[in-house]
Amino acid sequence: LAMDYRLLLPQLPPELRDLVYTQTVTEDNHATSTGLDFTSKIYDSSHTRVEIIPVHYGNPALLALQRYHFLEGGEYQHFILKNAVQLRIHVMFKGHTNTFVQEHWDKKMGAHLKNLAKRYPWLRKVADYDIRILWKPASWAPSKKKRRVGAIAKRMVEVLTQEMDADQRASRGVVKTDLRVADFVVSDHILKGEALGLGEFVWELDAGARK
C-alpha cells in the first residue's frame, strides 16, 4: 500500500525547503549521529586503532518527523546525508615503528574504506573530514630505511580521504588534521638529537581542498 505523507511546509517548493534546511545546520547545535545509518566503525590491528565516527550539526527534531510520516522528515535526512555530514577519524599508532610497513597498512585500510563506502554510498559525498592522529608507539628506533613520524601520518591522511568524491573534494572539500606525539616519544627524540619529521606532515592538499 502507498504511504500517505503529511506536509509541514506545503506552500514551499523543494528549492525553498532546502534553504530552510540549510539554516538549521549550525555548529551551535550539538554534534549528533541521529538519522545516520551507522554511528561508528573501529578497525583494530597490531599497529593502529582507527575509529570512524560520522556526525552532523543538523536538527534531530526535523529528522524525527519521519516517524510521523511527514514528507519533510525524509527530505531533511537526504539533505543531511548529501550536505552536512562530517567524518571524524581518530587514529592511534600503538605498534612497533620498525615493524610497520606503510604499503601493507595502505592496502588494508584502503580495502576497509572501499567496503564501507559500498555499504553506505553517501560516505563518498562527505566533504568534511576531521582527522586526529595520536602517535604512541610501543617501541621506536631510528632507521634510515623507515619513514619518519610526519611522513607516515601524512600518508595515513591521504589514504583515509581517498574515498571522497572528486567533485566534492574540488568544490567544498575540507580536511582538518591534528597530529599529536606522546610526550615520552618527543623527550626521547630530543635527548638523542633525532628528528620526528613533523615538517613532512604539513603539505598542500589536492586543489580545492583546504587544510
Side-chain angles (χ1 to χ4, degrees), residues 84-202:
V85 175
Q86 178 189 71
L87 274 191
R88 295 180 175 179
I89 304 179
H90 300 157
V91 181
M92 181 173 71
F93 189 98
K94 58 179 181 172
H96 302 279
T97 57
N98 276 15
T99 61
F100 177 72
V101 180
Q102 183 80 62
E103 292 73 18
H104 293 173
W105 189 91
D106 293 356
K107 185 176 180 179
K108 289 182 179 179
M109 185 53 57
H112 288 320
L113 295 173
K114 190 174 294 293
N115 289 334
L116 195 63
K118 284 182 180 179
R119 186 173 181 183
Y120 306 103
W122 53 267
L123 282 173
R124 292 195 171 97
K125 297 297 183 181
V126 176
D128 184 358
Y129 280 64
D130 186 346
I131 301 175
R132 303 184 183 190
I133 301 173
L134 172 61
W135 191 265
K136 194 177 180 181
S139 68
W140 62 96
S143 172
K144 293 182 179 179
K145 297 181 180 180
K146 296 291 183 179
R147 297 181 181 182
R148 295 186 294 185
V149 176
I152 293 173
K154 173 185 175 181
R155 181 57 187 159
M156 285 181 169
V157 172
E158 292 170 346
V159 171
L160 292 168
T161 58
Q162 67 186 15
E163 289 300 317
M164 187 191 299
D165 178 82
D167 291 337
Q168 296 293 324
R169 182 188 294 269
S171 63
R172 60 189 187 92
V174 176
V175 179
K176 303 171 187 174
T177 59
D178 182 271
L179 171 60
R180 302 193 180 194
V181 182
D183 290 345
F184 63 87
V185 178
V186 175
S187 299
D188 188 66
H189 277 71
I190 291 174
L191 288 173
K192 294 178 179 178
E194 299 163 358
L196 288 164
L198 299 183
E200 298 173 64
F201 185 64
V202 181

Side-chain angles (χ1 to χ4, degrees), residues 26-34 36 53-60 84-86 88 130:
T26 169
E27 291 192 1
D28 290 337
N29 297 334
H30 292 295
T32 179
S33 59
T34 299
L36 305 181
I53 307 169
V55 300
H56 65 84
Y57 292 93
N59 189 312
V85 175
Q86 178 189 71
R88 295 180 175 179
D130 186 346

Side-chain angles (χ1 to χ4, degrees), residues 21-57:
Y21 301 152
T22 299
Q23 297 304 311
T24 69
V25 178
T26 169
E27 291 192 1
D28 290 337
N29 297 334
H30 292 295
T32 179
S33 59
T34 299
L36 305 181
D37 46 4
F38 96 90
T39 56
S40 69
K41 185 71 175 179
I42 295 175
Y43 299 104
D44 206 353
S45 67
S46 59
H47 285 94
T48 62
R49 182 182 188 275
V50 179
E51 183 174 14
I52 301 175
I53 307 169
V55 300
H56 65 84
Y57 292 93

